[in-house]
Amino acid sequence: MAHHDDDQPMTGRRAVLKALTLAPAAAAGASAGMFGSIDVKTGRPIMTRAAAQDGERVKMAFIQWMPHTVPNAWSQGIAEVLGTQNVIDYELLDGQGKVEVQVSLMDTLINDGTSVIFLQPIDSVALAPSIAKAKREGIAVITLNIDATEPHAAHVEMNHYYGAMEIARVMGEKMGGAGKVAILNAPPGIIIRDQRTNGFVEGMAKHHPGIEIVADQVADWDRKKAQDVLNTILAATPDLGGVYGVNDSMALGAVDVAKEKGLLGKMVIFGNDGEKDALASIEASELTGTQYTDVFQQGRFAAAAATVLATGLVSADAFGQQGRVLMPYLIATADNVGQIQPNQRW
Amino acid sequence: MPSLSSRLTLPVFFLAVLAIFCLIAPNFASAGNFENLMAGYAFIGILAIGQSFPILLRGIDLSVGAILALVGMCIFDLSLMFGVPGWAILPLALLVGTLAGVVNGLMVTVLRLSPFIATLASLAAYRGLVYAISGRQLVPELSTKPITDRWITGFETYFDLTRVLGLKGVVKLPWVPLSFLILLGTLLVFHVLLAHTRFGRDLYAIGGNPEAARLAGIKVGRLTVAAYAISGLCAAIAAILLVARLTTSTEGLGEGIELTAIAAAVIGGFSLTGGTGRLLGSVIGTFLLGIVLIGLTQMGISPFVQQILTGLILLVAVGNDRLQTLRADRQRARALGEVPA
């Protein structure tokens, strides 16, 4: 368990292994009252809406931002843990990339007797009223990757900021501490975009002040768009030495361009997320590296906490403080990508 | 004028779907669910009302989602960046939306662009403008600050219908959101405008045959601009309700919602060939889509299947519209003696 402010970056296999140990820790923390509270008069835990009446099935749902490899892998991790409980009905819902759809789905789940809602909020403020409404109904909300301004049961996120700083450090080393870099970015208005960008920019300034960031262009998280954007950047800056895509899809788009223009091996390209296509590209000596997070494990952490909240007689409506899990990560390069096991690839 | 049976088709279908979900979807027939339905779809209903006007004139407004976002971001900026009080923001918001609609209308009438191209261009332009003026980008720390001005957040108010009707202890009725009452008010005003004024009759005439309307002395250009202005105004009203619900605005607000509004209007009986349709139909079409989506979600049906079913409903509505048009054409031909009876 770590708080964002005081967490330090971890590298190497140790970080991945540590991730594997944290799921039970999350559950233990939850059961110890981290995510809940005790009735001071009776000394007994305050029950959630669902807390387990005998024989009753418990509903849980995950409202994703939109279909993508990351929420799909979260959902697999969540389903894996919840599936062992035998009393939990779980469903994955599509927010269609729209806050108004996510709000409507939250309302539907609240009315439908759901016990725990996993949420990947599109916006931290816009979903806050819905989270407050869920809390009033005794429903635990666990956010993934993007936090909400309304305190809730727990938040489990990738280490966007420090991971991006670490990408900058490793990338700068691969570039020999000098040269020009372009960022292929997400559209504005998303917190993780800012964390992944600011971490990278500040990491470069801190570790490699000799490297110049010459372009920061929006490529919509998209591989094809990234190809077009990078071609334009290369026309203006033919001596570009490095590309950072704030997700792997855009970094792989940069790899496509590098292949086409014969720049593979001459240009350092990093992504972020660690999806299996990116790992395969690193193994093929195309992509230089990426920040890998075990997203299955991230889902398992969230599900472990949810299970305790829903069936462990822990309150969802009287939280002293919001639980927070910051995922360990690995800066995967050709040197260490082999450490990531097939069942950890998503 | 459509026959009584064709006018009753949609309400009967709506009630049938409602009854089916009440029977088969768990927790569907509950006060809380109807409250969610009213709160979640009121602003879409208002967008559908606005969208009905360009469709009535054989046009379309693809920019309503972008106008909604533009107005939403203006509210955000004025409230959080400049500290303008809500009572002053509200008329400005309505003005921005209306002006955006007027620009659309002028592109269609003055520049003689097809409505599809004109509003596709303004969709991109307005959305770009939203990013350009976004207070969330200009002052990043505002992106995690909610709007708290009661003049704006007050639109997210609910009324206890059970208590108002003195039925406490007898039955539990849904709390009625203010946004739903505003939808009913908007419907009433524009229904009267469309069905009982010269303005409305002229719009139907233009939609039926623009050239004949022009020859009859109707100011086609001016009324076309007015139709797009109404669409923009409705998008502004929807934006106010949505910002009140979310306590913020985002650059992506309302993205793709124009398709839902168009679908609702078409399902509600507005023909894409113009000249027919009633605003009540657009509102019923909106809530029909809402019922289907909520009901299927509660039944645990995959969201992808939900989208397929929504598409099928739209297809049936368009098919029905086409059948009605063909039938009307055949009757007209028979009346003229061109086709044997």
Side-chain angles (χ1 to χ4, degrees):
Chain A
M1 301 280 164
H3 289 270
H4 187 279
D5 294 340
D6 55 18
D7 187 63
Q8 294 300 315
M10 287 179 288
T11 56
R13 192 174 184 186
R14 191 167 60 88
V16 178
L17 293 174
K18 191 169 182 181
L20 295 169
T21 67
L22 276 176
S31 61
M34 179 170 176
F35 304 128
S37 65
I38 303 294
D39 187 316
V40 290
K41 291 179 183 168
T42 64
R44 297 178 62 184
I46 302 167
M47 292 177 68
T48 62
R49 170 199 265 193
Q53 292 173 21
D54 286 343
E56 195 174 298
R57 294 195 67 79
V58 174
K59 281 186 189 174
M60 295 190 191
F62 171 30
I63 304 175
Q64 64 180 355
W65 183 320
M66 62 170 65
H68 186 261
T69 47
V70 175
N72 284 350
W74 283 334
S75 186
Q76 282 184 50
I78 291 169
E80 187 184 306
V81 171
L82 300 185
T84 62
Q85 297 294 315
N86 289 327
V87 293
I88 297 173
D89 292 326
Y90 167 73
E91 64 176 327
L92 172 65
L93 300 172
D94 180 12
Q96 299 173 24
K98 299 169 189 168
V99 281
E100 56 272 22
V101 172
Q102 284 200 324
V103 168
S104 181
L105 288 172
M106 284 287 288
D107 281 346
T108 303
L109 293 176
I110 291 167
N111 183 60
D112 201 28
T114 306
S115 302
V116 178
I117 300 173
F118 303 96
L119 177 65
Q120 181 191 15
I122 293 167
D123 185 83
S124 303
V125 178
L127 270 296
S130 299
I131 291 172
K133 188 174 175 184
K135 280 165 59 181
R136 285 197 298 274
E137 297 292 328
I139 299 169
V141 177
I142 298 175
T143 47
L144 287 152
N145 257 20
I146 300 170
D147 206 351
T149 52
E150 175 73 28
H152 48 282
H155 176 63
V156 188
E157 71 173 333
M158 292 180 185
N159 200 331
H160 307 293
Y161 180 79
Y162 288 113
M165 278 191 102
E166 192 64 3
I167 287 172
R169 185 183 68 76
V170 178
M171 185 172 177
E173 286 171 2
K174 303 273 182 195
M175 292 175 66
K180 294 176 181 174
V181 167
I183 300 174
L184 298 176
N185 220 326
I190 303 159
I191 290 172
I192 62 170
R193 170 209 200 259
D194 299 338
Q195 291 173 330
R196 291 181 178 191
T197 309
N198 296 343
F200 181 78
V201 171
E202 287 163 28
M204 274 298 177
K206 180 181 173 186
H207 299 294
H208 303 287
I211 290 179
E212 186 188 359
I213 298 171
V214 294
D216 182 352
Q217 299 282 327
V218 172
D220 293 346
W221 305 105
D222 182 66
R223 185 167 181 160
K224 175 70 180 68
K225 184 80 186 286
Q227 294 170 8
D228 299 339
V229 171
L230 184 58
N231 275 320
T232 308
I233 293 172
L234 280 171
T237 317
D239 57 341
L240 195 70
V243 177
Y244 166 52
V246 302
N247 79 342
D248 284 338
S249 298
M250 292 189 285
L252 290 171
V255 167
D256 297 335
V257 173
K259 271 186 192 172
E260 189 185 301
K261 293 189 179 297
L263 294 173
L264 267 188
K266 295 174 190 164
M267 201 157 64
V268 175
I269 305 171
F270 269 76
N272 201 324
D273 280 337
E275 61 185 54
K276 63 183 175 192
D277 287 352
L279 302 182
S281 181
I282 293 171
E283 285 169 333
S285 302
E286 295 171 349
L287 184 67
T288 315
T290 188
Q291 175 186 344
Y292 165 80
T293 302
D294 187 341
V295 176
F296 292 130
Q297 194 71 334
Q298 193 176 354
R300 292 185 198 114
F301 286 178
T307 306
V308 174
L309 286 166
T311 61
L313 308 182
V314 180
S315 168
D317 56 2
F319 301 107
Q321 89 180 53
Q322 177 179 308
R324 194 180 189 99
V325 179
L326 194 59
M327 291 298 294
Y329 62 86
L330 171 75
I331 302 300
T333 62
D335 301 331
N336 59 11
V337 68
Q339 295 175 12
I340 302 168
Q341 301 302 307
N343 63 359
Q344 292 177 307
R345 298 185 181 212
W346 46 275
Chain B
M1 178 69 85
S3 66
L4 183 64
S5 63
S6 69
R7 289 174 69 168
L8 285 177
T9 305
L10 179 67
V12 169
F13 183 63
F14 175 82
L15 291 174
V17 172
L18 185 65
I20 289 169
F21 278 115
C22 284
L23 288 173
I24 62 173
N27 296 319
F28 187 88
S30 66
N33 200 43
F34 288 113
E35 184 182 307
N36 293 340
L37 189 64
M38 287 188 282
Y41 285 83
F43 80 96
I44 300 177
I46 292 172
L47 282 175
I49 289 173
Q51 184 66 246
S52 303
F53 281 83
I55 292 178
L56 182 62
L57 301 190
R58 304 184 176 191
I60 201 156
D61 188 352
L62 296 175
S63 70
V64 288
I67 295 176
L68 184 144
L70 181 63
V71 174
M73 196 52 75
C74 286
I75 295 171
F76 181 95
D77 288 356
L78 289 169
S79 181
L80 294 181
M81 276 177 74
F82 302 107
V84 178
W87 57 263
I89 292 174
L90 294 175
L92 287 172
L94 297 176
L95 184 66
V96 168
T98 309
L99 283 177
V102 167
V103 170
N104 283 337
L106 290 174
M107 284 196 289
V108 172
T109 55
V110 178
L111 300 181
R112 296 187 179 279
L113 296 175
S114 81
F116 185 89
I117 298 298
T119 56
L120 186 64
S122 61
L123 179 158
Y126 293 151
R127 186 66 70 181
L129 191 56
V130 172
Y131 281 104
I133 67 165
S134 169
R136 302 166 66 97
Q137 300 303 313
L138 299 170
V139 189
E141 56 269 30
L142 291 182
S143 64
T144 51
K145 194 175 169 189
I147 293 169
T148 53
D149 190 313
R150 287 295 299 161
W151 279 88
I152 295 166
T153 58
F155 283 99
E156 183 66 0
T157 299
Y158 292 73
F159 300 101
D160 185 355
L161 198 59
T162 312
R163 200 166 58 102
V164 170
L165 297 175
L167 296 172
K168 202 165 183 179
V170 180
V171 64
K172 190 185 177 192
L173 296 172
W175 284 49
V176 178
L178 177 58
S179 57
F180 184 73
L181 299 179
I182 291 173
L183 165 67
L184 294 182
T186 308
L187 174 63
L188 183 67
V189 168
F190 287 118
H191 171 75
V192 169
L193 194 68
L194 209 51
H196 301 288
T197 67
R198 167 83 186 268
F199 173 80
R201 284 193 295 277
D202 286 353
L203 286 182
Y204 277 107
I206 295 169
N209 189 332
E211 188 54 25
R214 193 182 63 77
L215 293 172
I218 295 171
K219 307 281 187 194
V220 174
R222 198 176 294 175
L223 291 184
T224 302
V225 172
Y228 283 90
I230 289 171
S231 179
L233 173 66
C234 287
I237 297 171
I240 292 167
L241 299 181
L242 195 52
V243 169
R245 186 164 161 81
L246 304 175
T247 68
T248 189
S249 187
T250 67
E251 293 85 351
L253 198 70
E255 225 161 37
I257 207 160
E258 56 276 356
L259 299 179
T260 310
I262 292 166
V266 172
I267 290 168
F270 275 89
S271 168
L272 290 170
T273 53
T276 59
R278 291 182 309 141
L279 294 179
L280 179 61
S282 299
V283 174
I284 293 175
T286 302
F287 285 99
L288 179 62
L289 289 173
I291 284 171
V292 170
L293 289 180
I294 290 178
L296 292 176
T297 301
Q298 288 184 329
M299 290 171 66
I301 305 289
S302 154
F304 309 115
V305 175
Q306 293 178 23
Q307 288 172 11
I308 292 169
L309 283 176
T310 306
L312 282 176
I313 291 173
L314 185 59
L315 207 59
V316 169
V318 172
N320 182 54
D321 170 47
R322 187 70 194 138
L323 275 176
Q324 300 286 347
T325 307
L326 286 173
R327 195 175 297 163
D329 286 350
R330 201 174 301 148
Q331 281 173 352
R332 202 173 300 123
R334 272 195 204 123
L336 294 170
E338 294 171 358
V339 176

